Amino acid sequence: MKLICKITLLLLAVLHLIKPFITIDISQALFVTALAVLLTGLTMMGKGFVKATLAFLVLGTAMLVYFAQPMQIWIAGVNSMTNVIAILVVMQTFSMPIRIGEYNEAIRYWLNKTFKGEGALFLFTMAATHLFTSFLMFGAIPVMVSLMGHTLKNSVENYKQFIAVAITRGYALTSLWAPGAINLFLVIQATGISWSAVFWPGVVLSIIGMGIAYFLELNGNLSSKTSQSAAADETVTISHKQEGQKALHIILVVSSLISLTMFFDKLHVGAAYNRIILAGFVVISVWMVSFIRNPNTGAVISSYWQEGVLKTADLAPFFIAIGIFSTALEHSSFMPIIQTGLQQLAAWLGIASIAMIPLLIIVTAVLGLHPFVTLVMFGKILTLLALPVTSLTVALCLAVGGSISYMVSPFAGLVMTTAKLINVRPRDIAITWNWHFCLIYFVVGLVFAYYWGQFAG
């Protein structure tokens, strides 16, 4: 089962990679491959995801059968979210050069030699998480905990709260602009807004968010004293020159991802997701070629094949099930009813209806519904409504709602994974430690989304 799952996951990514450059219809090939991923992946999923996956799979299938949808709709439903899986597979490969190049040494160097005060450490931890998440995505969480955990334990007073809020906020804010961010891609797919149109406001919003997070912690939870560095406890083997080179590599990787995605966007290569996959493939290929003579390369590639590919297996069936459910809902008689109800609510709220967009996502996420689901569902519905704002404002509100839901929902994968790695309750991270930041950022994000949409939309 594992072998079939790994092969079909990679095949799914390859099919989406070549799709813009071939003229034949590959929807049936995608359909068969996706079904194989679904069936094999279900056997390897965790309990939490498998329950949600089966629930959406049963509901979606039941609606397709009840409304007697033709085979084309079944194929469209199964295929609709496979592009998200392809992005995850490609972005997961970035873990290989990180391990081969031992970039953890550069992080430790910066922590031990440069950042002494708790305020500086917090800002660096959050910014480093933000940067690594832009291409490692979900893999950035365990990487950052392992890289910074020991140093921060010896450097700050309230280690668990410190690292939890720094990582969750740094990670969640990346979803506003990063090429591989699934949150942003779902917003683009739902609203039809181009990635380049939401990139710059996303960058500005993420910088504003990190600024709010920093000053909020500085005035509340961070010690004003200079922290004790853990440099004495660790042997830093990297030189100043090597540290600078590795930092430059990371910056080049992120800037190359952004530049290539924009370049393919300008050339109109395939759909938005094709450009993200293609940019990721080009960057990871060049990066891996640069390590071709490294003695660790073979072992890391082997490890990726054995374990790394399967890290996507937990989410792949989940996305296929969501795709089936959302497609079935879209072609059912329920959609006009939901659309009418929301249209009446939007007309009653007027301009205040922009608050309804992120609130729907955040509230349902707190209740346990994954943000990916609500972004797909509400994104499609809201873009059909006659809202008194531009499509760009709607897209930014959806993005803000998604990013906040990652931080404030105890059921979010980001919160649950971070809580598990540092041994705290998910509720402490989501509710106790993040709610005040999320409330402030919610208001700031709405105001920003409205005015940016008015002037640039």
Side-chain angles (χ1 to χ4, degrees), residues 367-436:
L367 293 175
L369 195 59
H370 199 284
F372 290 158
V373 180
T374 49
L375 280 170
V376 173
M377 287 174 55
F378 295 137
K380 288 182 178 180
I381 295 169
L382 291 169
T383 50
L384 297 174
L385 303 184
L387 296 172
V389 290
T390 64
S391 296
L392 182 55
T393 292
V394 172
L396 291 174
C397 285
L398 284 168
V400 168
S403 65
I404 291 176
S405 65
Y406 294 148
M407 293 179 273
V408 81
S409 171
F411 306 102
L414 166 62
V415 170
M416 293 178 71
T417 303
T418 305
K420 183 179 180 181
L421 290 173
I422 63 175
N423 195 29
V424 297
R425 296 180 303 176
R427 187 177 62 187
D428 288 336
I429 298 177
I431 307 299
T432 308
W433 298 338
N434 268 332
W435 77 267
H436 53 300

Side-chain angles (χ1 to χ4, degrees), residues 342-356 388:
L342 287 176
Q343 182 66 71
Q344 291 173 348
L345 180 61
W348 179 69
L349 290 172
I351 193 64
S353 60
I354 62 169
M356 171 184 71

Side-chain angles (χ1 to χ4, degrees), residues 160-178:
K160 289 185 177 181
Q161 180 175 349
F162 182 101
I163 194 169
V165 298
I167 287 179
T168 53
R169 294 174 194 177
Y171 179 101
L173 292 171
T174 312
S175 67
L176 296 166
W177 63 269

Side-chain angles (χ1 to χ4, degrees), residues 14-41:
V14 170
L15 287 171
H16 279 291
L17 184 66
I18 65 173
K19 191 176 180 181
F21 308 106
I22 58 177
T23 55
I24 60 173
D25 182 15
I26 60 170
S27 59
Q28 291 185 359
L30 279 171
F31 176 70
V32 173
T33 307
L35 284 180
V37 169
L38 175 65
L39 295 174
T40 56

Side-chain angles (χ1 to χ4, degrees), residues 139-375:
I141 304 169
V143 167
M144 295 309 298
V145 173
S146 63
L147 288 183
M148 299 184 172
H150 178 68
T151 299
L152 293 178
K153 279 180 182 178
N154 297 322
S155 303
V156 299
E157 293 180 5
N158 193 350
Y159 155 72
K160 289 185 177 181
Q161 180 175 349
F162 182 101
I163 194 169
V165 298
I167 287 179
T168 53
R169 294 174 194 177
Y171 179 101
L173 292 171
T174 312
S175 67
L176 296 166
W177 63 269
I182 303 304
N183 176 74
L184 187 61
F185 172 70
L186 293 177
V187 170
I188 291 169
Q189 186 167 263
T191 61
I193 298 292
S194 67
W195 179 82
S196 55
V198 293
F199 169 73
W200 288 116
V203 169
V204 175
L205 263 174
S206 66
I207 293 172
I208 292 171
M210 284 191 285
I212 293 171
Y214 172 70
F215 286 109
L216 201 60
E217 295 303 310
L218 195 64
N219 294 319
N221 301 313
L222 300 180
S223 171
S224 59
K225 298 178 180 179
T226 301
S227 62
Q228 298 297 313
S229 173
D233 300 325
E234 296 185 16
T235 302
V236 182
T237 58
I238 191 169
S239 68
H240 182 73
K241 183 179 179 181
Q242 289 174 315
E243 165 267 326
Q245 288 176 338
K246 292 193 175 185
L248 181 61
H249 290 171
I250 298 296
I251 294 170
L252 280 173
V253 166
V254 176
S255 58
S256 297
L257 267 174
I258 294 168
S259 300
L260 280 172
T261 303
M262 285 187 165
F263 176 68
F264 294 137
D265 210 29
K266 292 288 184 184
L267 293 179
H268 302 290
V269 177
Y273 76 89
N274 294 121
R275 299 154 201 171
I276 295 168
I277 295 170
L278 188 57
F281 176 75
V282 171
V283 173
I284 190 61
S285 298
V286 173
W287 205 3
M288 286 298 292
V289 167
S290 70
F291 286 119
I292 196 70
R293 295 183 180 180
N294 190 295
N296 299 323
T297 301
V300 170
I301 292 175
S302 176
S303 175
Y304 172 77
W305 170 249
Q306 294 297 327
E307 301 172 6
V309 179
L310 290 175
K311 289 182 179 179
T312 314
D314 232 16
L315 281 173
F318 177 67
F319 278 116
I320 294 171
I322 291 176
I324 294 170
F325 173 77
S326 61
T327 301
L329 183 64
E330 186 179 358
H331 291 85
S332 72
S333 59
F334 300 127
M335 184 63 88
I337 298 171
I338 298 171
Q339 185 181 337
T340 301
L342 287 176
Q343 182 66 71
Q344 291 173 348
L345 180 61
W348 179 69
L349 290 172
I351 193 64
S353 60
I354 62 169
M356 171 184 71
I357 300 171
L359 269 178
L360 283 170
I361 299 169
I362 296 166
V363 170
T364 51
V366 171
L367 293 175
L369 195 59
H370 199 284
F372 290 158
V373 180
T374 49
L375 280 170

Side-chain angles (χ1 to χ4, degrees), residues 79-91:
N79 292 351
S80 63
M81 300 292 282
T82 55
N83 44 19
V84 177
I85 300 168
I87 293 173
L88 285 171
V89 171
V90 172
M91 291 301 167

